């Protein structure tokens, strides 16, 4: 079993000209690749973050990559889909990969993806999407569960009279017409998802 696992793991390669992130450009925390049986075939898969090492970070191509041993294939999620530059360490819990990337600029736009392997169709599925940004009066964050359609919008507003931050929470439901997989990813898709619950946002 160890020989089989080692052989499958050896098929994974970092592309030429790229390196793995060793620390987060967002918060400086250590970043490590995740080695786990993501697709449940009893063989190691690899999930990690890479960048073009010969370029300055802002102009370098950057990807979240997921190598699946069952397909002997590496899947790429391009940071450019989100105009993303800064990323925090990946999280993995309950078979779900949590990926969070931020844009550059004063708005500090953040995009969070929750990914899980769909055993029925054997594809990597987007099951959750988070969107956040800074507003003139505070901060807005949205969490969208794509499996149930439930979403929450939270506005943090600084009240100058009380010198305190006030929170406004709104809930809603918007079912997607079909499941979303990595092959469906595009800038237009995430722009559409970011608009869910927009009526509750404070400008």
């Amino acid at each position: 079993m160890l020989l089989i696992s080692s052989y499958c793991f050896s098929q994974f390669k970092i592309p030429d000209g790229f390196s793995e992130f060793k620390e987060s450009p967002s918060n400086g925390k250590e970043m490590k690749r995740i080695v786990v049986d993501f697709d449940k075939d009893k063989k190691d898969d690899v999930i990690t973050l890479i960048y073009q090492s010969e370029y300055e970070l802002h102009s370098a191509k950057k990807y979240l990559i997921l190598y699946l041993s069952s397909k002997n294939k590496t899947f790429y999620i391009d940071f450019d889909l989100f105009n993303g530059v800064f990323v925090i360490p990946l999280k993995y819990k309950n078979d779900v990969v949590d990926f969070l990337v931020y844009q550059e600029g004063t708005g500090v736009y953040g995009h969070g993806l929750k990914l899980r392997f769909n055993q029925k169709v054997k594809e990597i599925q987007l099951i959750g999407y988070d969107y956040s940004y800074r507003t003139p009066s505070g901060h807005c964050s949205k969490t969208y569960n794509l499996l149930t359609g439930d979403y929450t919008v939270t506005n943090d507003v600084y009240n100058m009279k009380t010198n305190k931050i006030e929170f406004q929470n709104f809930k809603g439901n918007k079912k997607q017409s079909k499941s979303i997989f990595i092959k469906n990813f595009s800038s237009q898709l995430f722009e559409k998802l970011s608009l869910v619950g927009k009526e509750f946002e404070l400008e």
Side-chain angles (χ1 to χ4, degrees):
M1 187 60 137
L2 285 175
L3 289 175
I4 294 174
S5 179
S6 298
Y7 171 77
C8 293
F9 185 77
S10 69
Q11 306 306 301
F12 170 73
K13 303 290 183 185
I14 298 295
D16 291 341
F18 284 82
S19 298
E20 292 179 88
F21 281 96
K22 298 302 181 185
E23 66 176 35
S24 167
S26 290
N27 57 22
K29 291 186 177 180
E30 183 182 14
M31 299 181 72
K32 295 181 179 180
R33 65 168 58 173
I34 295 172
V35 179
V36 67
D37 184 8
F38 186 52
D39 54 8
K40 303 305 177 188
D41 66 344
K42 298 182 179 179
K43 300 173 187 174
D44 284 340
D45 303 308
V46 182
I47 307 166
T48 190
L49 296 153
I50 62 172
Y51 66 98
Q52 278 180 308
S53 45
E54 62 184 88
Y55 291 90
E56 193 269 335
L57 182 64
H58 295 76
S59 57
K61 292 293 293 182
K62 298 169 283 291
Y63 298 96
L64 164 65
I65 60 175
L66 305 97
Y67 170 77
L68 299 186
S69 56
S70 61
K71 295 177 179 286
N72 191 22
K73 180 178 179 181
T74 301
F75 296 84
Y76 292 78
I77 299 177
D78 192 339
F79 279 34
D80 288 347
L81 290 172
F82 319 98
N83 296 314
V85 176
F86 307 109
V87 66
I88 69 169
L90 296 171
K91 295 180 181 178
Y92 184 82
K93 185 178 180 180
N94 298 329
D95 302 327
V96 176
V97 177
D98 212 327
F99 166 62
L100 181 58
V101 63
Y102 290 96
Q103 295 176 215
E104 188 176 33
T106 57
V108 194
Y109 290 89
H111 305 264
L113 279 62
K114 292 179 174 60
L115 303 166
R116 188 169 69 191
F117 189 76
N118 185 314
Q119 292 292 336
K120 184 179 293 186
V121 298
K122 305 299 182 185
E123 297 287 347
I124 301 171
Q125 182 177 357
L126 179 69
I127 65 168
Y129 175 65
D130 298 335
Y131 179 64
S132 64
Y133 62 94
R134 185 176 294 158
T135 67
S137 57
H139 185 260
C140 178
S141 59
K142 297 193 286 188
T143 299
Y144 188 17
N145 185 325
L146 293 167
L147 298 178
T148 65
D150 293 333
Y151 64 85
T152 301
V153 179
T154 301
N155 295 304
D156 306 1
V157 182
Y158 177 71
N159 188 321
M160 296 184 66
K161 292 182 179 179
T162 62
N163 199 31
K164 293 181 179 179
I165 296 176
E166 299 176 351
F167 296 91
Q168 301 174 348
N169 292 292
F170 303 92
K171 296 183 182 294
N173 184 276
K174 183 178 177 59
K175 279 273 194 179
Q176 293 293 312
S177 58
K178 56 185 179 180
S179 298
I180 299 173
F181 302 97
I182 280 186
K183 62 184 178 183
N184 306 127
F185 285 6
S186 68
S187 297
Q188 293 76 19
L189 168 68
F190 289 105
E191 182 178 356
K192 178 182 175 183
L193 292 178
S194 72
L195 294 175
V196 173
K198 186 170 179 60
E199 65 271 22
F200 299 122
E201 298 176 40
L202 293 180
E203 299 295 335

